[in-house]
């Protein structure tokens, strides 16, 4: 949510927003302080280690993206394309390419099992959920 719209919310609405998103507002009391705390929480980046040590950075803001949340809501109905969209949406194009490269054999074969493991490691990472 854009800061200018957050600033239009009441203190109570900001408290509710922070509670839904699981953001800690600390001792913030004023609207400006609450907006600042929310923005800071949204900019936090979680680091997840996948496939033997590759560090992947996931902006927490992406974990709260409605488009990705809608995909997660499909649960057992996710297609391979949905999973790929979700994964790339979380880690970004460059990191997804780096992971795919790590999963690629010398002959160009992409090890789908290793790639699936990386996806699972990202989606299950507690650091990205908090």
């Amino acid at each position: 949510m854009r800061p200018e719209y957050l600033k239009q919310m009441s203190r109570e609405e900001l408290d509710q927003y922070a509670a839904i998103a699981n953001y800690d507002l600390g001792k913030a009391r004023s609207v400006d302080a609450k907006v600042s705390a929310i923005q800071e929480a949204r900019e936090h980046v979680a680091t997840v280690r996948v496939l033997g040590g590759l560090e992947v950075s996931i902006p927490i803001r992406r974990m709260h993206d409605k488009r990705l949340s809608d995909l997660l809501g499909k649960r057992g109905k996710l297609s391979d394309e949905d999973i790929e969209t979700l994964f790339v949406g979380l880690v970004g194009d460059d990191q997804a390419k780096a992971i795919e490269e790590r999963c690629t054999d010398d002959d160009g074969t992409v090890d789908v099992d290793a790639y699936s493991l990386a996806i699972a490691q990202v989606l299950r990472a507690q650091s990205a959920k908090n």
Side-chain angles (χ1 to χ4, degrees):
M1 188 171 193
R2 294 184 183 139
E4 60 267 23
Y5 297 127
L6 282 172
K7 289 178 181 179
Q8 294 175 11
M9 296 169 73
S10 69
R11 289 191 315 254
E12 293 77 20
E13 286 175 315
L14 292 168
D15 287 338
Q16 292 168 356
Y17 176 82
I20 288 169
N22 199 29
Y23 296 148
D24 181 11
L25 295 182
K27 298 180 186 221
R29 298 289 174 250
S30 70
V31 167
D32 286 340
K34 289 175 190 262
V35 168
S36 225
I38 288 168
Q39 286 181 287
E40 184 177 317
R42 291 186 77 226
E43 294 305 319
H44 176 74
V45 174
T47 301
V48 178
R49 294 173 58 93
V50 300
L51 302 175
L54 178 64
E55 291 191 351
V56 178
S57 298
I58 304 169
I60 295 303
R61 178 177 51 183
R62 289 189 187 164
M63 294 296 291
H64 296 269
D65 185 326
K66 182 183 180 316
R67 297 166 296 187
L68 302 180
S69 182
D70 288 347
L71 285 174
L72 280 172
K74 287 182 161 184
R75 296 276 176 204
K77 300 173 188 169
L78 283 171
S79 68
D80 288 347
E81 185 178 308
D82 290 338
I83 293 169
E84 179 76 10
T85 299
L86 175 61
F87 182 62
V88 174
L90 290 173
V91 303
D93 289 326
D94 291 342
Q95 291 185 121
K97 286 176 187 171
I99 290 167
E100 185 172 328
E101 182 179 311
R102 196 173 186 109
C103 298
T104 303
D105 294 328
D106 291 338
D107 67 357
T109 302
V110 178
D111 182 343
V112 71
D113 300 315
Y115 195 74
S116 296
L117 174 60
I119 291 171
Q121 288 173 319
V122 166
L123 294 178
R124 291 184 181 145
Q126 285 303 311
S127 61
K129 295 177 183 176
N130 295 329

